[in-house]
Amino acid sequence: MKKTMAHLHEKKNNGQKIVMLTCYDYRTAVLQEQAGVDVIFVGDSVGTNVLGYGRETEVTLDEILYHLKMVKRGVHDAYLLADMPYRTYEEPEMALMTANKLLAQGADGVKLEGMQAPVIELLHEHGIEVWAHLGYNPQFHENVAAQGKTFEDAAVLVEGALELQQAGACMLVLELIPEELADIVTKRLSIPTIGIAAGRHTDGQVLIVHDMLGMNPQKLRHVKPYFNFNEQALQAFHAYAEEVRQCQFPEEMHVRHMKESELRRVEEWLRSVP
Ligand SMILES: Nc1nc(=O)c2c([nH]1)NC[C@@H]1CN(c3ccc(C(=O)N[C@@H](CCC(=O)O)C(=O)O)cc3)CN21
Ligand SMILES: CC(C)C(=O)C(=O)O
Ligand SMILES: [Mg+2]
């Protein structure tokens, strides 16, 4: 059954955690769908994790649309969320164009960073499901510095979250804030919160798929590696290289043969080829 926004809100109200992961390609989407992930998310983190960029701000709308299209082919029941890239929602009308392009490629909702109440209002008026994102905002913050550590930071964040909910945001992602603050915001809001590096008490969790599979050599405090992809893949590449060089791959089981009679004809014919 398709996981709608109503379904995600129900989860908050029933105290059931919401499971979200980033996803940037078809095959990964198929597996996440099979595992019952609630929200499959094409984030602008595709830039640093797949495209080899230094920052999220380099990602274009065309790049998000390209990855969204491949992910969409693997998604059936999960809620499909897409990030609005840097500088694609600077004005409400511009944001509406961006959001409509993402929805046209199969997104169920769109996410944007920071205090963008007027943008959220306009998209909400057009019936678009808009996710807000507060705390550390990679599109606007140059350096990672945990947000919301002081009373002043915390008050700004709580008031901001309430304002974005009021503007019509249907979900809120909280990134890199103290657990206590994420707990307060989660209890204050009627919309569900999804945390990344925001502790245990948000209504759901999101991780970057590369991090949780062990594809990112960078060790981050909030990440639990559920798989050692890099270790396993490196071993496999080494084994393949060695076996090709030693003529141990391919083996008999990997090859196909010609019929003996056809081969004879080829050999016969070759004699007449200069
Ligand atoms: N691979 C990857 N993983 C992520 O979690 C992630 C991205 N990319 N790109 C977009 C944002 C940026 N995020 C980040 C980026 C850096 C830290 C980080 O440096 N954390 C420090 C602690 C910082 C602090 O508490 O002051 C760490 O040691 O883990 C955390 C989340 C989360 N998102
Ligand atoms: C960190 C998450 C929430 C994100 O915005 C992304 O992966 O792009
Ligand atoms: Mg993002």
Side-chain angles (χ1 to χ4, degrees), residues 149-163:
K149 283 195 169 168
T150 63
F151 163 76
E152 287 78 12
D153 276 10
V156 166
L157 192 120
V158 171
E159 285 182 343
L162 285 166
E163 187 182 331

Side-chain angles (χ1 to χ4, degrees), residues 106-122:
D108 295 308
V110 297
K111 180 170 79 58
L112 51 78
E113 295 184 11
M115 287 305 303
Q116 314 281 348
V119 168
I120 292 173
E121 264 167 27
L122 183 71

Side-chain angles (χ1 to χ4, degrees), residues 22 41-46 56 64 83-85 111-113 133 137-139 173 175 208:
T22 68
F41 170 43
V42 182
D44 61 354
S45 50
V46 68
E56 285 78 1
I64 291 284
D83 240 348
M84 306 238 282
K111 180 170 79 58
L112 51 78
E113 295 184 11
H133 178 173
N137 286 144
Q139 292 182 12
V173 170
E175 179 168 345
I208 304 299

